[in-house]
Amino acid sequence: MRGRHVDTGHGQIRIWTTDDRPGVLVLPGIRWSGRPLAEEIALGAPELPVAVADLPGVAGSAPGAAAGVGPAADALAQVAGALGVHAIVGLDMSCDLAAAVAGRVPHCRELVQVDPGYLAAAREMPPPDLTPRADGTHLSRLWQMVRNSHLFPPFSTRRAVPGRAEAPSAAALDRTVVAFAEHPEAFTALWQTWCRAGEDPFAGTRPAAVVVNSENTGPTPVVRWTGRLSRAHGHPAPVQAAAGPPSAPAHDRARRSLPLAEEPSPATASSCAAAPCATAPSGPAIVRGTAIRRDFLDTSAGQVHVRVAGDPEAPPLIALHSAPGSARLLEPLMRGLAPDFYVIAPDYPGNGESDKPWRDGVDIGRLADAMAEVAERRADGPVHLWGTHTGAVIALELCVRRPDLVRRAVLEAPPLLPAEFTSDILENYLPPLRADRFGSHLVRAWGMRHDMFLFWPWYRDRTAADRPLRVPRARELHDWTVGLLQSGPTYHLSYAAAFRYPTRDRLPALTVPALICAGPDDMLADNLPALRSAAPDGVTLASTPATCWYPDQDPAAVAETVRLYRDFLTAVP
């Protein structure tokens, strides 16, 4: 199972492939996101070469493309064109969207629509309200909605239907819910796009559809609908799509007249002009400026998910996030540094959206080696490093192990705690976070993230442990929690490795020019005197005006902090 991103005129679309040359593009609906569905297909129909898309607004796919039938269908048609698939499958809510996509792909020979009753039922109700709430209950609401869609016929929650598909495991259900939760506003827009897709002029124009479970009796097992796909076409070679859809001018005018078929944004208009949005496949785009793109890199530790920003010709900088979430929290920092650097921000193995290959035995050395592989694959020559908390000790270890690979490094608040405090942290700070059938782990994750802003450490809910911070707004706290949930049951591995890391012993071996720093709100800022005493001569230590990735930081202080980073990293030796 491999993840990749396909560039389209409406942003990136993430796909999960079971074969290097998939013949089928599957569009999930309300029951699945891309990865768990691809895994389910690989188990139920291992001989079927498929690509499963994360729909616009889901997980790593462009949220903007969710806000209209035209952009969503255009983007997915570009994916189909880039892959050269011969069949399009739409599940439940995506039945009409699949028809709109198939109508835009000249070489599409099959269209399969599975469980259309869910879409019909959705048109009779408003989209779910997933607006983040301060108590986190919107996540539980989403969990119940997705789980019920596996248990009951279309939007009926009284009696399960005989012969339905088996409900997925709690872990697979969790992946879908977290993927839907990454962009809650976009998911609401996608719901409306699903319901309007039948109005698109291209919907159903070709080929003729095969409908599975037209009786709308409930969720259809994967093996039942995969058995309806033709095997005659095998693995088609990728083909270059035509310059436009059939009767492109007339149909395009009709599509553009629909209220939801919005024109591309100015940021994507030039790429649409170069590659027509309806069908043309798109190669990797070179994006300059502060736009953030996403990618997967193959490493010895599995696929590592990365975010990148800036000019690929600029000096490369690897930005390393704190545990337990992902590099998403570093996006403001990435935008601040992108005018001067090519910024690459990976999720560690076991964290965020990278593979979870390690269940135990993780240490900072293994993580540093994995980040060295990222640097070698994405940069031509030595890189700058910026790391915070867990990322700071990974950066330190990478500097010690591979000084040939590092130009200069910023180490923000590397942990250096007394032995008894470390023992207490390792015993209490990292409770298990495993999904269960009722989604109770969502409440635990929300509570952990909430209290991390109130107390240090978060489990000491006493006034003596108060932090001088405010709990973030519900939308910000939602993002922090989703990052933790993406890491899931392996969230603790890099966290525990950072607390166990012998920072005091490794600092004297640092030979790379380095800045060790911390902002005033950082709970590890008190470590600076101890870090100063352990650091070798030549290392710069400083307090910064802000912690750039924290919420509610003063914008002027953030800008000044980014300037300090830039000045240090660009200083002439």
Side-chain angles (χ1 to χ4, degrees):
M1 187 66 53
R2 298 187 71 253
R4 59 177 283 199
H5 292 81
V6 178
D7 294 301
T8 78
H10 294 279
Q12 291 185 299
I13 298 296
R14 179 180 296 175
I15 61 171
W16 300 92
T17 60
T18 63
D19 191 279
D20 289 339
R21 292 172 58 187
V24 181
L25 176 64
V26 182
L27 308 184
I30 191 64
R31 289 180 286 152
W32 299 98
S33 62
R35 181 165 190 163
L37 178 56
E39 291 171 346
E40 186 80 1
I41 294 170
L43 288 173
E47 76 288 352
L48 184 65
V50 301
V52 183
D54 275 320
L55 297 179
V58 174
S61 290
V69 180
D74 285 349
L76 292 165
Q78 282 188 265
V79 173
L83 297 174
V85 301
H86 60 72
I88 308 291
V89 177
L91 303 188
D92 52 81
M93 299 283 282
S94 287
C95 284
D96 282 356
L97 181 59
V101 172
R104 287 164 161 78
V105 181
H107 55 274
C108 180
R109 308 173 202 174
E110 293 184 87
L111 170 63
V112 178
Q113 297 171 306
V114 184
D115 298 332
Y118 289 87
L119 178 58
R123 293 194 182 102
E124 304 301 319
M125 61 179 62
D129 181 10
L130 299 184
T131 304
R133 296 171 54 95
D135 57 6
T137 52
H138 61 289
L139 292 175
S140 298
R141 184 183 304 116
L142 176 59
W143 179 276
Q144 205 60 46
M145 180 183 68
V146 175
R147 182 170 186 260
N148 283 347
S149 71
H150 286 275
L151 299 176
F152 301 103
F155 298 101
S156 170
T157 56
R158 296 289 302 278
R159 178 178 296 178
V161 175
R164 65 171 172 81
E166 292 290 344
S169 67
L173 186 58
D174 176 64
R175 282 187 171 181
T176 293
V177 170
V178 174
F180 287 167
E182 184 165 339
H183 305 288
E185 301 86 355
F187 183 78
T188 301
L190 177 63
W191 184 286
Q192 296 169 325
T193 294
W194 273 328
C195 293
R196 296 287 301 277
E199 303 172 21
D200 187 88
F202 288 108
T205 57
R206 68 179 189 196
V210 173
V211 178
V212 179
N213 187 21
S214 58
E215 299 82 11
N216 303 323
T217 55
T220 300
V222 163
V223 293
R224 192 177 303 169
W225 63 258
T226 54
R228 302 295 297 272
L229 285 162
S230 168
R231 299 297 194 273
H233 306 307
H235 295 247
V239 297
Q240 179 73 28
S247 306
H251 281 179
D252 195 56
R253 284 195 299 272
R255 181 175 63 77
R256 297 300 177 192
S257 69
L258 288 174
L260 289 179
E262 300 170 354
E263 293 293 338
S265 67
T268 59
S270 60
S271 59
C272 282
C277 293
T279 57
S282 171
I286 294 178
V287 179
R288 304 181 188 278
T290 59
I292 293 175
R293 298 179 65 253
R294 299 165 79 159
D295 199 0
F296 285 98
L297 300 180
D298 293 323
T299 74
S300 60
Q303 285 199 301
V304 170
H305 176 258
V306 301
R307 291 168 169 83
V308 297
D311 188 337
E313 301 300 320
L317 182 148
I318 307 291
L320 302 174
H321 64 87
S322 69
S326 73
R328 182 178 183 180
L329 298 180
L330 299 186
E331 289 186 0
L333 174 77
M334 294 179 69
R335 294 188 178 94
L337 293 174
D340 299 281
F341 301 95
Y342 181 47
V343 187
I344 305 156
D347 296 343
Y348 313 133
N351 282 90
E353 297 181 81
S354 292
D355 281 349
K356 315 292 192 286
W358 298 327
R359 296 293 174 178
D360 52 27
V362 175
D363 59 32
I364 293 300
R366 295 183 71 182
L367 294 170
D369 290 343
M371 296 303 99
E373 289 188 59
V374 171
E376 291 169 336
R377 281 161 173 72
R378 290 308 296 254
D380 183 16
V383 302
H384 296 292
L385 293 179
W386 183 98
T388 184
H389 291 207
T390 300
V393 292
I394 294 174
L396 169 59
E397 185 64 21
L398 185 51
C399 290
V400 173
R401 290 185 176 218
R402 294 288 307 275
D404 61 300
L405 194 60
V406 183
R407 297 180 181 182
R408 299 173 78 83
V410 173
L411 312 178
E412 183 184 64
L416 180 59
L417 303 175
E420 62 277 11
F421 193 7
T422 297
S423 297
D424 190 66
I425 288 278
L426 292 172
E427 183 176 352
N428 298 292
Y429 203 87
L430 310 169
L433 191 63
R434 295 189 180 277
D436 61 45
R437 63 194 300 179
F438 304 115
S440 63
H441 66 295
L442 303 175
V443 178
R444 294 197 301 275
W446 188 273
M448 286 172 61
R449 277 307 204 185
H450 178 277
D451 282 10
M452 283 180 184
F453 288 93
L454 288 179
F455 310 107
W456 166 245
W458 67 267
Y459 54 85
R460 292 184 184 173
D461 52 350
R462 301 291 186 269
T463 55
D466 283 353
R467 297 187 66 187
L469 297 175
R470 292 183 294 178
V471 174
R473 298 174 181 85
R475 185 63 175 84
E476 294 169 324
L477 188 54
H478 171 92
D479 291 342
W480 283 64
T481 304
V482 166
L484 171 57
L485 291 168
Q486 285 171 337
S487 301
T490 58
Y491 86 93
H492 65 291
L493 296 180
S494 60
Y495 229 162
F499 287 123
R500 292 191 180 102
Y501 182 72
T503 305
R504 188 184 304 276
D505 296 335
R506 297 299 278 169
L507 260 179
L510 179 63
T511 59
V512 172
L515 166 67
I516 298 177
C517 59
D521 290 335
D522 197 313
M523 71 278 204
L524 299 179
D526 291 345
N527 289 345
L528 282 180
L531 290 164
R532 184 183 302 276
S533 65
D537 294 340
V539 171
T540 303
L541 282 96
S543 296
T544 55
T547 301
C548 298
W549 49 281
Y550 276 16
D552 290 323
Q553 298 287 285
D554 176 65
V558 169
E560 175 63 15
T561 300
V562 172
R563 186 190 66 78
L564 291 173
Y565 296 152
R566 183 173 57 248
D567 289 349
F568 175 80
L569 293 169
T570 58
V572 178

